[in-house]
Amino acid sequence: MLPTWLGSVCPELEFLYFSSNLIQFLPNVAPGFERLRVLNLSKNKIAAIPHTFFKRMTALQTLDMSDNQLSDISKSMANLVNLGTLDISDNKSLVELDFSKNPELTQLVIGTSTSLPLESLDISNTMKIKIIAPPERKYS
């Protein structure tokens, strides 16, 4: 689990990288992360994000949640009004996404059709958005 005490001990924290830490769960609220601008939780085992997890992270601009096991993130994204870049590639269970409450979203990395089987995507009110789907990886 992401240590909830970290935001209280380091209230000026702007960049937090917790990639490849086998994190499975996130706390309901992450206190003290009001100044956080970049959060990288990629390559973990996170299946769900509590809808209040990002409540105090209103300054967050870049979020990398790629290569997890996410199934739904729409409700938790509503408080991220300054989010500009979101990477959700390689989450094979995400089928529905709603970013209509994220007007500053400019870059959405969704991966290939095999890495993200979307059925519904709402990007209304995101007039600056650019959706990035990287080419399929080839291994030799």
Side-chain angles (χ1 to χ4, degrees):
M1 180 180 279
L2 186 72
T4 55
W5 53 263
L6 189 59
S8 302
V9 173
C10 306
E12 304 296 315
L13 199 63
E14 293 185 21
F15 304 90
L16 182 57
Y17 299 90
F18 263 94
S19 179
S20 303
N21 277 289
L22 301 176
I23 296 172
Q24 293 180 328
F25 305 101
L26 295 174
N28 286 331
V29 178
F33 290 114
E34 288 85 3
R35 294 181 181 228
L36 196 64
R37 292 188 300 139
V38 175
L39 178 58
N40 185 332
L41 291 169
S42 66
K43 298 179 183 169
N44 282 293
K45 298 191 178 295
I46 302 167
I49 302 172
H51 71 277
T52 55
F53 176 71
F54 295 115
K55 188 174 184 176
R56 296 190 176 128
M57 296 186 201
T58 55
L60 196 65
Q61 297 170 355
T62 302
L63 176 60
D64 188 346
M65 295 293 299
S66 63
D67 200 11
N68 274 288
Q69 299 169 357
L70 295 172
S71 59
D72 182 29
I73 62 170
S74 297
K75 290 179 184 172
S76 59
M77 296 285 129
N79 293 312
L80 300 178
V81 294
N82 291 307
L83 188 65
T85 301
L86 174 63
D87 188 341
I88 52 171
S89 58
D90 296 318
N91 280 284
K92 297 182 186 344
S93 298
L94 279 173
V95 292
E96 184 177 337
L97 296 172
D98 181 355
F99 297 112
S100 60
K101 293 182 173 57
N102 304 96
E104 295 301 312
L105 191 62
T106 56
Q107 197 169 60
L108 176 61
V109 181
I110 60 172
T112 62
S113 59
T114 58
S115 69
L116 190 66
L118 277 182
E119 294 175 7
S120 173
L121 175 63
D122 184 350
I123 54 172
S124 53
N125 301 318
T126 56
M127 297 179 204
K128 306 178 224 174
I129 197 164
K130 176 181 176 184
I131 298 177
I132 300 171
E136 301 259 353
R137 294 182 183 113
K138 294 182 182 176
Y139 299 97
S140 46

